[in-house]
Amino acid sequence: YKEVLSATTVKPKKESKGMVLIADDEFLVRRDLTEALDSEFTVEAYEELKELSDNIHKKEYDIAFIDMDLPGTSGPELLKNVKSSSPRCQVILTDSNASISRAIEAIKSGAIEYMVKPLEIKKMPFFLKRILEGRKTREDQKQAKLASALADLNRLICSPLPPEELFNEILVSACTNSSADGGSLMVTEGDELEIRATWGPFPEEVRGKRIKIGERVAGKVAQTGEPIIINGRLSENPDFLSVPEYQEIRSSICFPLR
């Protein structure tokens, strides 16, 4: 069989204002940031965690200013909640009690910037535009890399390689282009899936092993035809609490090749 990679040209959309979230219990911070950004961005400012929690999943934010010590939570914890509903959001953690350890905590949690109060309000419109331009550049690069990877896979699938060699080449290409540490490729055999190729930390001896369709993560993907993304350990996912896990796997994606 053969896959065809095609592209269409569409009329570019009119660029909309970026959506900015401000979560800070200091009135002056909320007021000054809102006034500085309001002409260039759509701004929502929240003082209390409860009101923010009620609305956080209703919008897709581009940038968020989050106080490290917002009452009722912490900056890194709120960052996780924002990212769960707005994965493309660039989060800036702000701090009145700055220290090296807190700066390290902020960056490790996924913040793009750690800013010490008082903030340089006048510079913020330019700074946020630069952050969004950087995000667009990174996303364009990822799209170009993906298009190249798909073209490579298309050429592989259309090649006259023997099945086992083809499976291995497809798996290696998918893993390297997605920066994965390893993976496996499984083929449907009746009501089972058989591991036909492995790469990375997966041992060679698992090749040929089978699981029932509907069992484990891969079996469920084969049953539903829908991909599954797992962020974190398998034991942390409520849908797979009873499934034995490989200890070294911290996140994974499983998808059907059809």
Side-chain angles (χ1 to χ4, degrees), residues 16-22 41-46 51-64 78-91 135:
S16 59
K17 282 186 174 184
M19 177 76 74
V20 176
L21 166 68
I22 302 169
F41 302 90
T42 301
V43 182
E44 290 187 356
Y46 294 90
E51 184 183 5
L52 173 57
S53 298
D54 291 340
N55 293 281
I56 198 170
H57 297 293
K58 298 177 182 178
K59 303 283 178 66
E60 174 117 13
Y61 298 102
D62 294 293
I63 294 175
L78 185 53
L79 179 151
K80 290 180 186 177
N81 292 335
V82 170
K83 284 282 195 179
S84 68
S85 57
S86 300
R88 298 173 65 243
C89 184
Q90 308 294 287
V91 178
R135 183 183 73 177

Side-chain angles (χ1 to χ4, degrees), residues 21-131:
L21 166 68
I22 302 169
D24 201 301
D25 63 330
E26 295 182 42
F27 169 74
L28 291 180
V29 172
R30 298 195 310 276
R31 184 199 67 185
D32 293 348
L33 275 176
T34 300
E35 289 180 353
L37 301 174
D38 192 49
S39 63
E40 302 283 347
F41 302 90
T42 301
V43 182
E44 290 187 356
Y46 294 90
E47 175 183 7
E48 297 181 356
L49 178 61
K50 184 182 183 307
E51 184 183 5
L52 173 57
S53 298
D54 291 340
N55 293 281
I56 198 170
H57 297 293
K58 298 177 182 178
K59 303 283 178 66
E60 174 117 13
Y61 298 102
D62 294 293
I63 294 175
F65 288 89
I66 299 175
D67 183 26
M68 283 286 285
D69 297 311
L70 191 70
T73 187
S74 69
E77 188 62 32
L78 185 53
L79 179 151
K80 290 180 186 177
N81 292 335
V82 170
K83 284 282 195 179
S84 68
S85 57
S86 300
R88 298 173 65 243
C89 184
Q90 308 294 287
V91 178
I92 300 166
L93 290 179
T94 61
D95 200 353
S96 298
N97 304 297
S99 69
I100 293 176
S101 62
R102 284 164 70 89
I104 292 173
E105 179 189 10
I107 299 304
K108 280 188 173 181
S109 70
I112 193 169
E113 287 287 342
Y114 172 78
M115 291 186 176
V116 179
K117 294 178 179 178
L119 305 177
E120 297 185 72
I121 300 295
K122 290 183 179 179
K123 295 182 179 179
M124 288 304 163
F126 170 76
F127 183 68
L128 297 199
K129 286 180 182 179
R130 193 174 66 183
I131 287 178

Side-chain angles (χ1 to χ4, degrees), residues 200-236:
F202 292 91
E204 285 285 328
E205 53 264 30
V206 303
R207 290 195 187 199
K209 292 202 172 187
R210 298 188 175 203
I211 65 169
K212 292 283 187 184
I213 290 179
E215 293 180 353
R216 298 187 63 88
V217 179
K220 187 170 183 180
V221 168
Q223 184 180 57
T224 63
E226 297 294 329
I228 293 176
I229 298 175
I230 297 175
N231 292 312
R233 298 283 292 272
L234 191 62
S235 58
E236 297 170 353

